[in-house]
Amino acid sequence: MIQLMLLFSLCCTSPNREGSIREYKITENDTLSYTLKLALDERGQPQYFFRNIFTPVCYTNECKPVYINFYWDLLGNYERYDLPEGKVLTKVDHDEFKEEDYQKLQDILAQNSSIFADLKMEDLIAKGTDNLTDSVDAKAGATLKTIKNQVIDGAVYTCYTLWHIAYGKAVPEMQKIIETYSSDALLHRFLESKNHHYQYWAMAKVMDDSGAVKKPFEKDIETIIAGKNGFIAKYALQHVGSDFLKTEQRQKWLWETYQKTGYAMQIAILKKLVKGTTKISNTLASSLQSSLPNANEEQTLLIQKILQKP
């Protein structure tokens, strides 16, 4: 397996009101190296990664240059692309992309699971068609039927090449780079983010294997559990330890959250209390008891189990 070399160099743009850029040289092998850039805000806090890409895309008998800019979040998740001023993408026969082609390319690149992951370049065109002319119709017809609906006609190799850049060897390097910026401030920011990738990453940093939450981040975890994203809320609730819910004040907050949240999260809260070792307060017991007349069968069964616990 090719080993990546990561070389650090501070960026060539000077700080301004919009921040600055830090550059990292990524060397994949003896012949391939490129610059990965990290955008920083005016306080020097990381914002996103990007790369100004020039790559040749080679068909059977010609190579064409592709100029494109890629953007990733701070954990290396592909977000979007744009084109340098004056540049366009073209298909075989040099036909320019249409608006729908650009949108389809974004859709293709947004899929982190793709058939491209298991294919080699030579797998893209049906065997025995290597000597076809560069006509769009001929190439489209030669494209393997298994991938035809997942590519842009006349730009099969472009789709393949760009997808592998979006999800390629630079991604784990981005994850290594952001580790060097890890701090309480970054963890708070990630936990407060609407980017669930950031939230999962930060929760793994602020919770230990037993579900104990580091003190400075308890309010952040409360906010996630009480938040609108049901998936991340349920995940956080299921992973906090019983001690997180042991105080009367925290149980009061949990009950308030229960009353405001949706049904699926209500069930998750009740199951947490059933399975956990948390001793519930008299106040919470009273609230649960008073909710029984309006509870359905599933809620009633769980509440009774909670109230019957020693």
Side-chain angles (χ1 to χ4, degrees):
M1 183 175 291
I2 296 171
Q3 293 296 315
L4 289 175
M5 249 184 351
L6 185 61
L7 304 178
F8 296 81
S9 62
L10 200 52
C11 74
C12 43
T13 61
S14 52
N16 54 44
R17 68 182 182 86
E18 295 180 348
S20 59
I21 297 168
R22 193 168 189 180
E23 296 184 349
Y24 301 85
K25 184 179 179 182
I26 309 294
T27 302
E28 294 195 3
N29 55 45
D30 292 340
T31 59
L32 177 59
S33 65
Y34 50 84
T35 300
L36 179 67
K37 300 179 182 181
L38 174 62
L40 308 170
D41 66 13
E42 65 280 0
R43 297 168 301 162
Q45 294 301 303
Q47 300 301 301
Y48 56 89
F49 287 101
F50 68 103
R51 181 181 161 196
N52 308 121
I53 296 166
F54 161 73
T55 184
V57 174
C58 296
Y59 290 76
T60 53
N61 59 4
E62 73 165 327
C63 291
K64 60 180 181 178
V66 171
Y67 296 89
I68 192 168
N69 304 317
F70 274 9
Y71 301 84
W72 295 266
D73 73 10
L74 292 173
L75 296 176
N77 297 294
Y78 169 82
E79 292 193 322
R80 64 184 179 88
Y81 77 87
D82 62 25
L83 300 179
E85 186 174 356
K87 299 296 182 181
V88 297
L89 296 179
T90 60
K91 304 178 184 181
V92 178
D93 282 352
H94 306 288
D95 289 340
E96 292 186 6
F97 270 38
K98 297 177 182 178
E99 185 59 39
E100 57 265 31
D101 296 322
Y102 286 112
Q103 182 55 57
K104 186 166 185 179
L105 178 61
Q106 172 60 16
D107 294 340
I108 290 167
L109 294 176
Q111 299 172 23
N112 59 1
S113 278
S114 169
I115 194 170
F116 289 146
D118 300 316
L119 293 176
K120 296 178 181 178
M121 184 76 82
E122 56 267 27
D123 296 329
L124 298 176
I125 299 295
K127 294 188 184 303
T129 59
D130 295 346
N131 295 322
L132 284 174
T133 66
D134 282 337
S135 99
V136 175
D137 290 338
K139 281 299 179 188
T143 303
L144 288 178
K145 291 180 180 179
T146 52
I147 66 170
K148 200 165 184 179
N149 292 331
Q150 301 181 48
V151 297
I152 297 166
D153 282 348
V156 181
Y157 288 101
T158 298
C159 295
Y160 177 89
T161 300
L162 294 181
W163 186 89
H164 275 276
I165 291 174
Y167 297 94
K169 293 182 172 69
V171 172
E173 299 305 326
M174 296 181 214
Q175 295 166 354
K176 291 177 188 176
I177 291 167
I178 205 59
E179 288 285 354
T180 69
Y181 283 88
S182 187
S183 65
D184 282 6
L186 185 72
L187 290 171
H188 283 301
R189 181 179 140 203
F190 274 22
L191 290 168
E192 293 166 2
S193 172
K194 290 185 173 139
N195 182 331
H196 66 277
H197 299 292
Y198 288 175
Q199 291 178 305
Y200 284 122
W201 185 86
M203 279 194 286
K205 301 278 188 187
V206 305
M207 281 188 216
D208 65 19
D209 292 340
S210 68
V213 180
K214 293 179 182 177
K215 200 81 175 163
F217 303 99
E218 289 182 346
K219 284 295 181 185
D220 297 295
I221 298 301
E222 281 187 8
T223 301
I224 289 173
I225 292 173
K228 293 181 179 179
N229 185 327
F231 293 105
I232 194 80
K234 190 174 179 182
Y235 177 92
L237 176 68
Q238 290 173 338
H239 283 77
V240 294
S242 295
D243 282 354
F244 186 77
L245 304 171
K246 71 180 182 182
T247 66
E248 185 160 356
Q249 181 180 3
R250 186 64 53 70
Q251 290 185 16
K252 179 184 177 185
W253 159 82
L254 187 65
W255 180 246
E256 290 170 353
T257 299
Y258 178 89
Q259 292 177 299
K260 295 174 185 176
T261 196
Y263 179 74
M265 191 61 183
Q266 287 184 339
I267 296 301
I269 289 171
L270 294 177
K271 286 182 176 178
K272 180 73 175 181
L273 293 173
V274 168
K275 295 177 181 177
T277 59
T278 304
K279 181 175 176 58
I280 65 170
S281 67
N282 292 334
T283 302
L284 179 55
S286 177
S287 297
L288 288 166
Q289 184 70 49
S290 65
S291 72
L292 281 171
N294 297 316
N296 66 16
E297 185 177 351
E298 185 177 20
Q299 290 169 320
T300 298
L301 181 61
L302 291 169
I303 290 171
Q304 287 175 342
K305 287 182 178 180
I306 296 166
L307 294 176
Q308 289 166 7
K309 289 179 71 176

